Amino acid sequence: TLDSLTAPNICRFSKRAHVLTRHYSGSNGTKSGVFTLFYGLPGAYFRDFQRQSLSPVLLDVLKQNGYDMHLFPSASLRNPPLDKTVFLTLADQCDPTEGLNAWQRDENLSTKFRHYLAERDTTVPFFSFLFFDSLHSMIKPDDFKGPFQPSWDIAHYERLGKDVDPGEFLNLYKNMVYYLDSLVGEILNDLESRGELDNTIVVITGDH
């Protein structure tokens, strides 16, 4: 779905970026997926690192080098206990963003990050982790229809089966990608308008 129709902003950005298509997923779950992303190790090591309270070398080095480090999580990073492993040194920032559901939290975290960009000390390097959740929840804003129709309004997982045409379910997924892409696009435009893209590494990926 990361094409010019479904995710036009991310696709446009990819034309000037490295696109990695041969890496391996650490898991099909959030806990192991995020763990693998930051440690470069299989998720089977999660409990060992949690028991020993070992944070990723990457984040340790960034902190040692004076980076301004901020998390912007839509969903909580405490369950699964990423605050005890990956974000051990940033555990006070692991609570979910305010909002009744995922799309509201995603919009709020996007706004918060853009405010942070506007107010931060630009002489200090920064690391930010934006953890979106609306594509996971598949709950769309009431006033958002989406370009891919016909589409389910919500994910009726109980309807899925061998005799069900998955087209409307797939269109719901595409519409959620399109919606989330609009938030990512605003952030990329903001980074570029501030001249931040000239010296910032932006990684766009799914934790699964």
Side-chain angles (χ1 to χ4, degrees):
T1 58
L2 299 183
D3 56 35
S4 61
L5 296 178
T6 318
N9 294 296
I10 293 175
C11 184
R12 192 179 307 115
F13 183 69
S14 75
K15 303 303 180 184
R16 55 197 284 196
H18 296 291
V19 180
L20 307 178
T21 60
R22 298 184 57 136
H23 53 298
Y24 289 93
S25 169
S27 168
N28 64 350
T30 298
K31 180 178 77 171
S32 295
V34 177
F35 178 89
T36 298
L37 183 63
F38 279 88
Y39 289 94
L41 295 168
Y45 288 101
F46 189 96
R47 290 185 180 178
D48 296 304
F49 277 70
Q50 182 179 351
R51 278 194 296 266
Q52 298 183 55
S53 297
L54 294 172
S55 63
V57 172
L58 169 65
L59 298 189
D60 289 345
V61 170
L62 293 181
K63 189 172 183 179
Q64 290 166 11
N65 282 274
Y67 274 66
D68 187 25
M69 304 174 69
H70 287 276
L71 306 180
F72 297 86
S74 178
S76 172
L77 297 174
R78 300 188 188 280
N79 184 24
L82 295 168
D83 60 328
K84 302 280 196 306
T85 52
V86 179
F87 303 117
L88 178 67
T89 60
L90 300 168
D92 60 331
Q93 301 182 35
C94 288
D95 292 324
T97 301
E98 64 277 0
L100 182 62
N101 51 46
W103 69 263
Q104 291 172 322
R105 296 194 304 269
D106 283 3
E107 288 193 356
N108 288 336
L109 84 82
S110 176
T111 299
K112 282 187 171 184
F113 177 68
R114 293 170 68 192
H115 285 167
Y116 164 72
L117 287 180
E119 298 170 359
R120 77 178 193 87
D121 180 357
T122 56
T123 65
V124 177
F126 75 99
F127 166 86
S128 295
F129 179 70
L130 283 64
F131 190 57
F132 294 101
D133 194 40
S134 55
L135 186 54
H136 188 153
S137 76
M138 302 276 277
I139 298 173
K140 63 183 184 64
D142 295 334
D143 58 351
F144 174 74
K145 184 176 177 64
F148 301 97
Q149 299 298 327
S151 166
W152 284 352
D153 288 329
I154 61 173
H156 296 286
Y157 295 109
E158 75 282 357
R159 295 183 187 175
L160 296 174
K162 293 180 180 179
D163 301 322
V164 176
D165 181 354
E168 293 187 24
F169 179 43
L170 178 59
N171 280 343
L172 170 61
Y173 181 78
K174 287 183 175 181
N175 284 330
M176 293 308 301
V177 173
Y178 189 86
Y179 167 74
L180 186 54
D181 177 79
S182 69
L183 299 182
V184 174
E186 291 175 352
I187 290 168
L188 292 173
N189 289 338
D190 207 350
L191 282 166
E192 184 154 39
S193 68
R194 298 180 185 283
E196 298 279 13
L197 278 183
D198 294 337
N199 60 355
T200 302
I201 296 173
V202 178
V203 178
I204 300 174
T205 188
D207 66 347
H208 298 173

